[in-house]
Amino acid sequence: MYRYDNIDQRLVDERVAQFRDQTRRFLAGELGEDDFRALRLRNGLYVQRYAPMLRIAIPYGLLSTKQLRKLASIARNYDRGYGHFSTRQNLQLNWPKLEQVPDILAELATVEMHAIQTSGNCVRNITADHFAGVARDEIVDSFLWCELIRQWSTFHPEFNYLPRKFKIAVNGAVADRVATFVHDIGLHAVKDAAGDIGFRVIVGGGLGRTPSVGHVIREFLPWPHLLTYLDAILRVYNLHGRRDNIHKARIKILVKERGVEKFRDEVEAEWLRLRDGPATVTAEEIRRIEARFTRPQYQKLADVKYPETKTPFSAWMKRNVHAHQQPGYAAVSVSLKKTGVPPGDMTSAQMERIAELADHYSFGELRVTHEQNLVFADVRQSELPGLWHALRELGLATPNIGLLTNIVCCPGGDFCSLANAKSIPVAEAIQRRFEDLDYLHDIGELDLNISGCMNACGHHHVGHIGILGVDKNGEEWYQVEIGGNQGQSTISNRDGEGNRGLSLISASLGKVIGPSFARADVPDVIERLIDAYLGLRDSENERFVDVVHRTGVEPFKKHVYANLDQKPADRRRALAAA
Amino acid sequence: MPTLIRNRQIVDEPLPPPDLVVLQVTDDPAVLADRIGGRGAPIGAIAVHFPKFSDGRGYSIARLLRERYGYKGELRATGEVARDHLYAMAQCGFDAFELRAGEDARAALGAFGDFSEQYQSTVTQPSPLFRRRAG
């Protein structure tokens, strides 16, 4: 954890006071609805379908157990006793009261937390690899750089009112586990021939209604120039990004309309004037940030081998336990994707129990992943069976990381006022259909993402299978895409080939397979896609998304739309008989 | 007559200053480079007009005027200027503020103290916090 110094703390406290006054003025009628909207959003407060929604920042997804306990108590005292972990590694409360939000923020500030810039047209929470600091393929610890950027972006006086929201992701490892190509800015750490650290700068990616894969505008930016370069990009965007149409306001549209070359030239020209200026990052500052991070005190341990068996523990080891830099340690994914529970949801009681477990098993820290799960990053391998038992009791040991039922899903029409359709019941119906673990493991790695509208909070464009809720004459329908890929390599510690992700770094966007479906048909459609895949794959190593890239959408499309009225089980029988 | 705050004080301004140049947020401040440099008509003051509460272009324009073109004179924010903007506007180089109608000017003066520090390199404090922290 980065520990605040007195200035970090003071700034957060001052923000609470500022927002308390803004809320007071709004409630007193001194501040109009529109103006207050711009101010409350940058403090994480939405007004949703049934109630306000408060999005609490978990910077780069890193959380201490003290903080998690505070979140649990806030969810219990100010809300309905649960929270929702989002794809931006934040926590959302769905039922707070507007007039109590300043008090919630004040409570958060006591544990070095806040809701600053979790919404609004400003730089949002920076996302990072949830295996930062422990991944074997690490180049830099991305948390240090995220904290540097967090401070740079916090209340940046020039960039408070951008044309639209702005999302930055930092990847510090060889494999891209943060989807750098679908962010406004993706930063991918690289080492040059001399061993110096820099960043590949990717701009203009994004999801939403105009999904785009980002462009590399600089292959190697030496790290001291990181902030001046970000200033240059943001300034070009702030001055020239479109403000006439909310749907064309993201930086991806500016990059597209200007052309990548011209955009890059403008950024570089701007940067030349900022370069080597006072915002140039110093080695001292990196060391200072590093020193303010708590680091686990690892013991000297040997690796512990567990024989592969047919037991549930073994299945969990295979899917949810990941390789670690330190011998004798492992990283563990805590699955928040148990069937019947909305993806990413957690009750206060679960949070408190998880905090106890993280204290006992993982140095009192945990991470939130952009796939809406949790990670215990530093678990002794010898304690894995004990942790598994404890997680199983909580219903948080579902061995489905990287598998079809690890569904990424937005809150959808059950909560969100933007949604065209519900997403949580769709996720549940699919999870029920694929409950058989052996079948699930046989299908292998598969990212399934669901968004309730084209704002794409469930990142459906980069799901191997992506489902999008659409509105057709007031009815909820679902469009299905296949072949998306977030560029996230899966963790390859199972077979000891740590570099498997290398070929997967570039992201791709899914293609729609055809007309949309009624909600009740979605599980059948998924089953048909899987049927088609199992028939097409050349081996168990060829994943669903690999097959789509090899064969294209057509064979899948055929299989899904042929005899759509027939149940898959009947079709299978018919196929078998033929 | 709109309320004017100049150098953190409420002032009366019966008439606009002579040679006031008004920039819209769509204007490129480069058009004033020569005049700022002393070539061409003199500039009494520059106003940047904010068309909306949430239009942030004027902040970059102010920084360019101050940092790139070296403008030293009065730089005034006009239009949709509320107390909630003042801290950041001042950081970006504005030193005069025509508050929009309905703003409580006295309360607005307090907004310059919303924050006691900022992380970034700004016009009023070019040295970012990390350089001063280190020292």
Side-chain angles (χ1 to χ4, degrees):
Chain A
M1 285 305 299
Y2 175 82
R3 292 157 302 152
Y4 282 5
D5 70 4
N6 56 354
I7 300 174
D8 298 314
Q9 183 66 51
R10 203 165 72 219
L11 285 170
V12 168
D13 292 340
E14 287 168 350
R15 177 63 149 202
V16 175
Q18 184 192 41
F19 186 64
R20 193 182 289 284
D21 187 57
Q22 288 163 342
T23 306
R24 179 194 63 72
R25 283 156 55 212
F26 171 68
L27 293 172
E30 296 167 25
L31 195 55
E33 186 107 22
D34 282 351
D35 296 347
F36 184 61
R37 182 189 305 120
L39 298 171
R40 66 172 160 76
L41 286 176
R42 64 198 54 240
N43 288 286
L45 182 60
Y46 283 76
V47 173
Q48 286 282 39
R49 180 159 285 192
Y50 301 111
M53 182 272 275
L54 181 66
R55 185 181 290 150
I56 296 166
I58 300 174
Y60 33 93
L62 186 59
L63 199 56
S64 73
T65 51
K66 185 180 175 192
Q67 293 173 326
L68 185 58
R69 287 192 176 93
K70 176 58 81 177
L71 294 174
S73 101
I74 288 173
R76 184 178 288 123
N77 296 333
Y78 295 92
D79 206 292
R80 297 189 180 176
Y82 69 93
H84 172 81
F85 288 101
S86 79
T87 52
R88 213 136 182 92
Q89 301 176 312
N90 292 314
L91 181 83
Q92 299 182 172
L93 297 177
N94 280 305
W95 313 93
K97 291 191 179 64
L98 188 147
E99 57 275 18
Q100 288 187 334
V101 169
D103 294 337
I104 297 176
L105 298 181
E107 289 219 30
L108 287 172
T110 65
V111 292
E112 304 182 3
M113 292 190 86
H114 57 76
I116 294 164
Q117 291 170 211
T118 54
S119 182
N121 295 336
C122 45
V123 180
R124 303 286 189 88
N125 187 24
I126 320 296
T127 48
D129 179 3
H130 46 266
F131 293 121
V134 306
R136 286 199 177 155
D137 63 343
E138 182 157 286
I139 299 163
V140 299
D141 183 343
S142 45
F143 286 163
L144 305 182
W145 300 95
C146 285
E147 177 57 28
L148 179 78
I149 300 169
R150 182 191 76 83
Q151 298 191 11
W152 163 84
S153 66
T154 300
F155 315 142
H156 196 306
E158 186 177 348
F159 306 130
N160 270 317
Y161 297 95
L162 296 170
R164 197 77 177 87
K165 60 187 169 184
F166 204 90
K167 299 180 180 180
I168 301 176
V170 181
N171 193 68
V174 172
D176 182 355
R177 282 182 286 263
V178 303
T180 46
F181 278 89
V182 289
H183 279 78
D184 294 291
I185 295 179
L187 297 167
H188 197 137
V190 273
K191 254 189 194 147
D192 70 4
D196 290 326
I197 301 290
F199 293 90
R200 179 181 299 128
V201 182
I202 301 152
V203 178
L207 299 172
R209 68 177 67 205
T210 319
S212 326
V213 172
H215 305 272
V216 177
I217 64 163
R218 197 165 238 281
E219 278 294 345
F220 189 85
L221 177 73
W223 64 264
H225 301 303
L226 185 58
L227 299 185
T228 50
Y229 205 81
L230 290 176
D231 275 325
I233 296 171
L234 268 292
R235 181 172 288 172
V236 169
Y237 172 56
N238 190 39
L239 284 169
H240 304 295
R242 284 181 62 172
R243 292 171 187 264
D244 59 327
N245 180 341
I246 188 176
H247 302 308
K248 298 197 184 298
R250 295 288 288 272
I251 196 172
K252 61 192 169 188
I253 305 291
L254 179 68
V255 172
K256 206 169 164 185
E257 289 185 350
R258 272 190 153 51
V260 182
E261 264 88 76
K262 182 154 188 285
F263 176 80
R264 178 180 39 219
D265 291 348
E266 281 178 73
V267 168
E268 292 275 329
E270 192 63 46
W271 179 54
L272 277 180
R273 296 164 179 273
L274 298 171
R275 180 185 175 152
D276 299 323
T280 305
V281 183
T282 60
E284 251 175 309
E285 171 62 0
I286 300 306
R287 279 195 298 271
R288 187 194 72 84
I289 290 177
E290 196 166 11
R292 293 209 73 81
F293 267 90
T294 55
R295 294 295 301 170
Q297 298 298 307
Y298 296 116
Q299 292 173 309
K300 265 199 167 338
L301 298 171
D303 279 336
V304 180
K305 290 261 175 277
Y306 292 94
E308 212 172 298
T309 59
K310 281 263 163 211
T311 60
F313 173 69
S314 204
W316 179 78
M317 284 289 296
K318 191 172 167 194
R319 293 312 324 179
N320 295 22
V321 178
H322 319 283
H324 198 288
Q325 288 173 5
Q326 296 292 323
Y329 286 86
V332 171
S333 287
V334 177
S335 172
L336 303 184
K337 309 296 177 63
K338 185 182 155 80
T339 300
V341 179
D345 271 18
M346 206 176 203
T347 65
S348 292
Q350 279 179 323
M351 289 183 213
E352 280 156 356
R353 184 73 182 111
I354 279 288
E356 274 173 44
L357 295 179
D359 278 339
H360 182 83
Y361 289 101
S362 197
F363 298 94
E365 290 183 9
L366 62 158
R367 289 110 185 262
V368 181
T369 80
H370 79 285
E371 293 183 341
Q372 305 172 291
N373 293 309
L374 303 178
V375 164
F376 284 17
D378 302 288
V379 180
R380 282 202 254 174
Q381 290 173 6
S382 59
E383 297 196 307
L384 287 169
L387 177 57
W388 174 72
H389 274 290
L391 290 174
R392 205 154 99 119
E393 257 172 52
L394 291 172
L396 300 173
T398 313
N400 62 352
I401 302 302
L403 301 181
L404 188 150
T405 56
N406 180 33
I407 296 174
V408 173
C409 180
C410 71
D414 290 299
F415 298 99
C416 178
S417 51
L418 302 171
N420 288 322
K422 292 188 180 184
S423 49
I424 290 169
V426 178
E428 187 180 339
I430 295 169
Q431 285 172 327
R432 291 207 184 284
R433 181 65 62 90
F434 289 90
E435 247 169 352
D436 181 342
L437 272 179
D438 288 336
Y439 183 40
L440 199 60
H441 284 256
D442 183 43
I443 295 165
E445 286 172 15
L446 196 148
D447 294 345
L448 197 154
N449 297 52
I450 307 176
S451 303
C453 76
M454 62 173 101
N455 289 307
C457 296
H459 301 176
H460 63 280
H461 299 297
V462 290
H464 300 169
I465 297 177
I467 300 174
L468 167 67
V470 291
D471 176 272
K472 267 205 218 168
N473 305 322
E475 277 181 55
E476 297 184 357
W477 287 76
Y478 296 86
Q479 201 175 64
V480 174
E481 297 179 9
I482 59 174
N485 182 24
Q486 58 181 328
Q488 168 225 37
S489 93
T490 45
I491 318 103
S492 307
N493 59 327
R494 290 172 293 288
D495 49 17
E497 291 167 12
N499 54 1
R500 196 175 156 201
L502 273 170
S503 60
L504 302 174
I505 280 171
S506 67
S508 59
L509 303 170
K511 288 199 175 71
V512 177
I513 61 168
S516 49
F517 306 95
R519 190 194 298 169
D521 290 333
V522 173
D524 282 353
V525 171
I526 304 305
E527 204 172 339
R528 286 177 179 215
L529 287 171
I530 298 304
D531 272 354
Y533 157 65
L534 293 174
L536 287 164
R537 74 177 174 188
D538 56 23
S539 76
E540 283 186 17
N541 292 328
E542 196 182 25
R543 302 174 308 162
F544 178 90
V545 66
D546 302 329
V547 173
V548 179
H549 289 165
R550 175 167 60 82
T551 67
V553 170
E554 220 35 55
F556 289 90
K557 187 173 174 172
K558 246 194 213 145
H559 198 76
V560 168
Y561 289 96
N563 310 317
L564 194 59
D565 48 344
Q566 218 172 358
K567 286 275 167 266
D570 299 337
R571 263 160 49 91
R572 262 206 301 278
R573 270 196 293 280
L575 278 172
Chain B
M1 189 176 69
T3 311
L4 184 70
I5 294 176
R6 182 186 284 141
N7 298 324
R8 309 203 173 179
Q9 286 179 335
I10 300 167
V11 294
D12 279 330
E13 190 185 56
L15 290 171
D19 301 317
L20 174 73
V21 179
V22 179
L23 285 181
Q24 304 300 323
V25 288
T26 46
D27 291 336
D28 184 347
V31 299
L32 296 180
D34 279 350
R35 290 175 67 183
I36 292 169
R39 297 172 295 276
I43 295 176
I46 299 176
V48 178
H49 184 79
F50 287 77
K52 281 172 71 178
F53 188 93
S54 56
D55 191 319
R57 285 175 281 194
Y59 298 86
S60 288
I61 289 171
R63 289 196 78 153
L64 290 170
L65 287 169
R66 292 289 193 209
E67 294 174 333
R68 179 156 311 161
Y69 304 111
Y71 176 63
K72 302 270 190 272
E74 178 179 314
L75 183 55
R76 177 183 294 207
T78 65
E80 282 296 312
V81 178
R83 60 168 294 182
D84 308 283
H85 298 121
L86 298 188
Y87 183 84
M89 283 179 173
Q91 292 298 323
C92 289
F94 287 103
D95 54 7
F97 309 87
E98 256 180 50
L99 296 177
R100 65 180 181 182
E103 289 289 318
D104 177 342
R106 211 154 286 287
L109 285 177
F112 292 107
D114 276 356
F115 297 99
S116 54
E117 187 52 276
Q118 68 287 321
Y119 289 113
Q120 304 79 5
S121 166
T122 69
V123 172
T124 49
Q125 177 53 273
S127 182
L129 179 62
F130 65 76
R131 287 181 184 268
R132 291 176 284 122
R133 251 174 180 166

